[in-house]
Amino acid sequence: MPDRLSVGDTAPDFTLPDADGNDVALADLRGKNVIVYFYPAAMTPGCTKQACDFRDSLDSLQAAGYAVLGISPDKPAKLAKFRERDGVTFPLLSDPDKEVLTAYGAFGEKTMYGKKVTGVIRSTFVVDPDGKIALAQYNVKATGHVAKLRRDLGL
């Protein structure tokens, strides 16, 4: 079982390439609330639904002071295809070594279709302006998650 983060923990810093191969660093977003969400694979139905929900809510999230970063093990080229296909308007970051996924406790054993497998645990974190975890949600559902997150954040 991976170590899980809790509210008040320092968010593990990271620098990862986006869909264009440009590095994006969490530290560069200090002073903002950042929603960091981890998803198993670009272009799959659940992950597409979740990304589109974030895309459709982005204006109101940004208006409330939140940036959004999506992270998966996919390579930048696949992320670029995903972004183009679905009009994703926030950075999608590539973590092929799963180091950041692991640091956030978002990679490990999970149950899928009744079987134990090792993989990405769909998870969402809110990092506050000081770089601390303000919200940690593991095993979130792809559908309806953004609406629930907005309720949890009082947006």
Side-chain angles (χ1 to χ4, degrees):
M1 194 68 189
D3 284 340
R4 296 213 157 170
L5 295 173
S6 302
V7 171
D9 288 348
T10 298
D13 259 326
F14 59 80
T15 301
L16 291 172
D18 68 9
D20 299 313
N22 300 314
D23 282 347
V24 175
L26 182 62
D28 292 343
L29 296 168
R30 282 286 182 280
K32 281 188 177 157
N33 289 298
V34 184
I35 297 167
V36 179
Y37 82 96
F38 295 92
Y39 62 97
M43 317 282 272
T44 57
C47 298
T48 298
K49 174 85 182 92
Q50 189 178 22
C52 290
D53 281 353
F54 271 116
R55 176 199 68 202
D56 294 345
S57 293
L58 193 62
D59 286 347
S60 61
L61 289 169
Q62 287 177 331
Y66 291 86
V68 177
L69 299 174
I71 301 178
S72 74
D74 298 304
K75 299 267 192 267
K78 186 173 179 193
L79 297 177
K81 277 194 192 121
F82 187 33
R83 179 186 64 196
E84 302 312 314
R85 188 191 76 175
D86 294 300
V88 177
T89 48
F90 54 87
L92 296 171
L93 307 182
S94 170
D95 183 22
D97 301 331
K98 304 175 187 74
E99 285 173 18
V100 178
L101 283 151
T102 302
Y104 278 78
F107 187 82
E109 194 175 89
K110 63 181 184 174
T111 304
M112 198 166 158
Y113 306 116
K115 291 191 173 82
K116 293 257 185 246
V117 297
T118 298
V120 176
I121 298 162
R122 191 182 301 276
S123 308
T124 298
F125 303 88
V126 175
V127 180
D128 75 12
D130 298 321
K132 300 276 189 218
I133 300 290
L135 190 73
Q137 298 179 331
Y138 289 93
N139 296 308
V140 302
K141 299 216 174 317
T143 303
H145 171 61
V146 175
K148 180 185 181 309
L149 179 64
R150 292 168 58 88
R151 285 194 300 276
D152 293 345
L153 296 172
L155 300 177

